[in-house]
Amino acid sequence: MEPESNQPAVPDPRAASEVPSGETPCIVVTGLRKRFSDGEVLRGIDLVIRRGELVGFTGRSGSGKSTLLHILGGLDRGYEGKVSLLGQDLATLSDRALANLRNRHIGFVFQAFHLLTHLSCLDNVLLPNAFAQEPLGRMQAEERAMAALTRVGLADRRHSRPSELSGGQKQRVAIARALLFQPEVLLCDEPTGNLDDFTGQQIIDLFVELNRDGLTMVLVTHEPRVAQATTRLLSLQNGLMVPPQSLEPSR
Amino acid sequence: MTGRQAAALLIRSLQRAPRSFALSVFGIAVGISVLGFFLALSLGMQKRVLSRIFPSDRIEVVQQKASVDQGGLGALGALGALLGGPQQLGNDVIAKLRSHPDVEAVYPRLKVAFPVRGWGGERIVGKPIYTDLPIDGIDPQAVSEVTVPWAFKDYVSDKNPFCTSDQNCQSGWFCSWDINKCEPPVPVIISPTLLEFYNGSFARMYGLPRLSGFLVGQLRGMTATAELGKSFISRRESGKPRQRKLVLVGVSDRAQPFGLTVPLPYVQRWNAEYAGERAASEYSSLTVQVRPGRSVTRIVELVRKLGYSIEDNGAEQAGLAVLLMTALFVLVSLSTLVVAALNIAHTFFRAIAERRHELGVMRAVGASQADILLLVLGEAGCVGLCGGLVGLLLARLAGLGIDYLSRTALPDFPFKPSSYFWFAPELLLALLLFSVTICLLGALLPARAAARQSPAEALTAK
Ligand SMILES: Nc1ncnc2c1ncn2[C@@H]1O[C@H](COP(=O)(O)OP(=O)(O)OP(=O)(O)O)[C@@H](O)[C@H]1O
Ligand SMILES: [Mg+2]
């Protein structure tokens, strides 16, 4: 089922050793390469992320962190190598099946929040339900959305437009949206990049809390503060994944 | 994504840019309104004007003309011509046509083959009108189901009483002095077309009352005098001139459009006397009534095969003229619609460029390529639907306005319709579908581009 059973195209003892037997890892990446028109950004990434981990990616600007995160979340299919999420090889999935996987099992949080400006907070949080293959009924969906908004502490702002919120509040609405269907994994691309220290810390605290409740998380970040919250920190350098030099490895 | 979810997203997406939506709708509406206006006008002209002037449920069979107009089947006709002129219209043809399943009835007609002039009409005009009279005869059977069948018959008989003046005859009869016999006046029917022309131009020109409804009934029984064998226009004279009284017995669309129509036996007798036996032994044409709901085409085929022609009554040319006009305006409105579709394409390309992040987010939270395609096309479909509805409304209003102007500001003219337009339900539906289709076509490329872009690129786009 896992790439390790194939002929090992890229030998990676670490990946194999870190998979606890009997449990499917959340994410398994083998020999991942990504090339843009102006050069190769990822040059053979091997990576295993187990369930319940809070993994941080660091690396210089332009090192390919966002690119990697997009590939892990099934937002970018133009890569070489193998990427498995929750035991499913992304390359073998149809567009519809991949969309379903994103809908039900993956949550995304972006630096720029990416809320839909013409929808209220509640409707933004409800957006995944619109694209669900079997959408929840209005009542049930709103109940869930309210639960997610309550979780991020914004239940009272459900009717506000994103433009009426502060940056931290916007990011929390975006997190609530990612949590609507209680995904297995949350992929966050510099979630505190646009926030001040205090607000950023609140978001980090929220992530730690979510992780404690069992959510697997992948965080792209520049900030040492965020990095400190991770259970494992990895760095992208020259298109390869290496343990970071400058930051404390874990808390 | 279910239909309901899609609809909810669509509505909120359209609400956010009302001006751009309104502009796109307006572009489509203009094209559709022009298209709808002219198509409805064309349909209206066909239905309310042409079909009244040229009834489509009957054809007029005539002898083949000089053998030029035939196509492939013409060989037969040409052969016939070699063997002694065009085939005559006799009783055998009538029998053949009557046995055709699409034929309801066949009525022979015969034109008077010599000059006739007449005078009368004091009762409407105030003084007698003098004019040459085109007269034809039709099988009295043809009139049996319309107007007054009992009145439209041949009453002449050898047993009519002797007379020297009208006073010798019973009331309503007249003395035919050339044979010294009392005879009833010759019953005449006229066509609604003639009435239309009287009402539409003659009555207006001379300030005379319009004839319709019960006024037409008043005309009934009006007499006039015809003088056989003489003409006001030409010097041609034939036979021994004699006068006969005519009496109008009704209005029927079986009458010839411009002239008087009398029972066939009169014309047969008169032609035999004034123009020779041959002019009496054949018919000048046959009116073939088509069964309701059947088409004329198969009958026309049979007629051609038998070696006869269909009288060209101008319907084809008139229909063609209307068709050409329609085609012209349809072309104009189609080009407006092409522009509108290009405008839609442009607007949507811009919109999806502006909404790249949004489309990326949708993909990230679970939208498939098909969902995105559906959403973009859905918006275009809404534009098409609204544009179509607004356009049809505009066309309808323009039609009502023109009908109103025509009613109030235009003088009467023959066949003036109460409405020039026919907004057939099928037309409305077709135009609505067309409007939606145009918008979908316009949005197809933008929608495909939107669906195909990689979500990662959409999200990271500047
Ligand atoms: N769509 C694209 N087309 C071409 N090149 C791209 C594209 N997306 C990213 N790149 C290139 O790939 C490299 C990695 O980009 P990426 O956004 O993954 O970096 P990053 O590590 O997330 O940087 P940052 O910390 O600034 O967000 C960059 O050099 C970038 O120019
Ligand atoms: Mg980045």
Side-chain angles (χ1 to χ4, degrees), chain A residues 60-67 69-70 111 189-190 220 222, chain B residues 460:
Chain A
R60 250 188 270 136
S61 180
S63 58
K65 305 182 293 293
S66 300
T67 305
L69 203 72
H70 290 151
Q111 177 175 2
D189 195 351
E190 301 191 38
V220 169
H222 283 304
Chain B
T460 50

